[in-house]
């Protein structure tokens, strides 16, 4: 009984092998062969070089955008109108560690605004009409 089972197992394995080679041949025709696959070629540049070039291009683009945004004409309204003597007086020969310097503004516009503020604060001498007056 065991011999017959062993021979049957052997014949099934052979039949499986034959069927497998037929199936591989059939499906293998649809797959690309070695002739169809492109030959792999190493890159001309290393990955680090490609990344460095891309970073340089990105930085250049950002620099161009920043220069457009920081156009001198647009920033003129933020210019500090202070004499050189006041700069020297504030700096006292060296720049502070924080990098911040305080200066007094002395523009003509501010002087005009101060005089307007003082005139607005005065009360008028006109008397208010009483609420009980008849109309």
């Amino acid at each position: 009984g065991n011999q017959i089972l062993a021979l049957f197992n052997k014949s099934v394995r052979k039949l499986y092998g034959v069927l497998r080679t037929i199936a591989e041949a059939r499906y293998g025709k649809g797959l690309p062969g070695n002739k169809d696959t492109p030959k792999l070629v190493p890159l001309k540049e290393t990955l680090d070089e490609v990344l460095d070039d891309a970073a340089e291009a990105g930085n250049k683009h950002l620099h161009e955008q920043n220069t457009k945004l920081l156009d001198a004409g647009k920033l003129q309204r933020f210019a500090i109108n202070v004499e050189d003597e006041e700069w020297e007086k504030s700096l006292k020969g060296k720049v502070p560690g924080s990098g911040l310097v305080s200066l007094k503004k002395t523009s003509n516009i501010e002087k005009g605004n101060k005089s307007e503020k003082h005139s607005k604060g005065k009360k008028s001498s006109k008397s208010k009409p009483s609420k009980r007056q008849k109309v």
Side-chain angles (χ1 to χ4, degrees):
N2 282 338
Q3 275 184 332
I4 295 173
L5 190 58
L7 289 174
F8 177 72
N9 191 9
K10 186 177 180 182
S11 62
V12 169
R13 285 183 190 223
K14 277 192 174 187
L15 181 62
Y16 172 75
V18 170
L19 293 175
R20 183 172 164 219
T21 56
I22 293 170
E24 283 179 356
R26 183 185 306 157
Y27 293 118
K29 290 179 184 177
L31 296 175
N34 290 339
K35 297 176 186 176
D36 296 339
T37 57
K39 187 175 182 180
L40 299 177
V41 182
L43 297 173
K44 294 177 184 176
E45 297 177 301
T46 65
L47 182 60
D48 288 334
E49 292 171 345
V50 172
L51 291 174
D52 288 342
D53 291 343
E56 186 176 319
N59 286 339
K60 183 178 178 184
H61 178 71
L62 285 175
H63 180 69
E64 290 172 0
Q65 284 184 337
N66 287 342
T67 54
K68 287 179 185 176
L69 291 174
L70 298 176
D71 184 20
K74 294 178 183 176
L75 295 177
Q76 189 60 34
R77 63 183 176 155
F78 298 110
I80 300 173
N81 297 328
V82 178
E83 298 296 323
D84 289 338
E85 298 149 2
E86 288 192 45
W87 278 110
E88 292 297 325
K89 186 178 173 182
S90 296
L91 292 176
K92 297 178 185 171
K94 59 183 177 181
V95 178
S98 66
L100 300 175
V101 178
S102 298
L103 298 171
K104 291 182 181 179
K105 290 185 180 181
T106 56
S107 66
N108 293 337
I109 297 169
E110 260 191 43
K111 289 178 183 177
N113 287 342
K114 285 181 183 177
S115 62
E116 287 177 19
K117 287 180 186 175
H118 291 295
S119 64
K120 287 182 183 177
K122 295 179 182 177
K123 293 185 179 180
S124 63
S125 61
K126 294 180 182 178
S127 62
K128 293 183 184 178
S130 77
K131 293 181 183 178
R132 295 186 182 184
Q133 285 181 346
K134 293 183 181 179
V135 180

